[in-house]
Amino acid sequence: MKLSAELLDRFNQQITLELQASTVYRQLAIEMDTQDLPGMGSWLRHQADEEIVHANKFIDHVVQRDCHPTIGAIAAPNIPAGASPLDVFEAALAHERKVSDAIRDLYRATDAAGDLDSRPLLNWFLEEQIEEESTVGEIVSRIRLVGDDGPGLLRLDAELGARQAETTENV
């Protein structure tokens, strides 16, 4: 079943937002790398790659629905140079919440349109966003807990750097 013009526009907006999330995570990674926190930088780069996987899932869905996905303009992230690790991960959490809200809105739009075919994909994303917000929220809490304690921050950096790399292809 082909997507309506309105739903196609909404899916294209979501594709753009997922790619914007990747760009945000890349910029956040740069901030951590420039502060000699390579583990946090690595974790954020992996997250950027995961956002590309998310965009690919939406792109594939639109193509499978016999429509043409289009990427919109992606604004440069507004991350100040020298942002603290807490600022960086709070920015990540704020962006995850923005993405979660957009997915909920997309779900509501597909529901209102009677588009049952999008439900499996959007249900997966609803669950994924719960996990994403929880994970980043936990990191924010842990950074708050260690505060300016250098050894604590370095330990968290090492732990986050142990994250395994994933592919940007759909899994």
Side-chain angles (χ1 to χ4, degrees):
M1 171 181 170
K2 194 167 184 161
L3 292 166
S4 69
E6 178 186 342
L7 286 182
L8 175 59
D9 182 56
R10 299 291 297 267
F11 273 95
N12 284 335
Q13 289 174 29
Q14 191 65 42
I15 290 165
T16 302
L17 184 59
E18 298 292 341
L19 293 171
Q20 180 185 27
S22 179
T23 303
V24 167
Y25 274 114
R26 288 279 177 207
Q27 186 64 53
L28 294 172
I30 290 168
E31 290 310 313
M32 294 296 84
D33 286 339
T34 62
Q35 295 179 39
D36 296 324
L37 293 167
M40 290 183 187
S42 176
W43 190 93
L44 291 159
R45 280 190 302 282
H46 290 316
Q47 198 65 21
D49 292 344
E50 188 175 291
E51 298 301 338
I52 292 172
V53 172
H54 293 174
N56 287 341
K57 285 181 181 286
F58 281 112
I59 290 166
D60 290 348
H61 180 76
V62 170
V63 168
Q64 290 168 357
R65 301 289 299 275
D66 196 28
C67 293
H68 188 88
T70 305
I71 299 168
I74 298 173
N78 186 18
I79 311 300
S84 71
L86 180 59
D87 292 338
V88 163
F89 281 92
E90 284 179 337
L93 182 57
H95 200 80
E96 287 295 350
R97 288 176 176 156
K98 178 180 178 180
V99 170
S100 294
D101 287 343
I103 290 169
R104 288 184 202 104
D105 287 345
L106 180 57
Y107 191 98
R108 288 181 194 104
T110 60
D111 197 44
D115 179 19
L116 300 176
D117 299 330
S118 293
R119 281 191 181 170
L121 174 71
L122 295 176
N123 283 336
W124 183 89
F125 272 102
L126 289 171
E127 287 183 32
E128 176 70 6
Q129 285 307 120
I130 290 170
E131 178 187 325
E132 297 290 339
E133 285 189 41
S134 176
T135 299
V136 179
E138 180 182 311
I139 294 168
V140 167
S141 294
R142 294 177 73 198
I143 292 172
R144 284 186 183 138
L145 184 65
V146 299
D148 291 333
D149 176 60
L153 200 54
L154 291 175
R155 179 180 169 151
L156 182 56
D157 181 64
E159 182 181 323
L160 292 176
R163 180 179 180 179
Q164 296 296 313
E166 298 172 20
T167 178
T168 58
E169 297 303 313
N170 287 342
V171 287

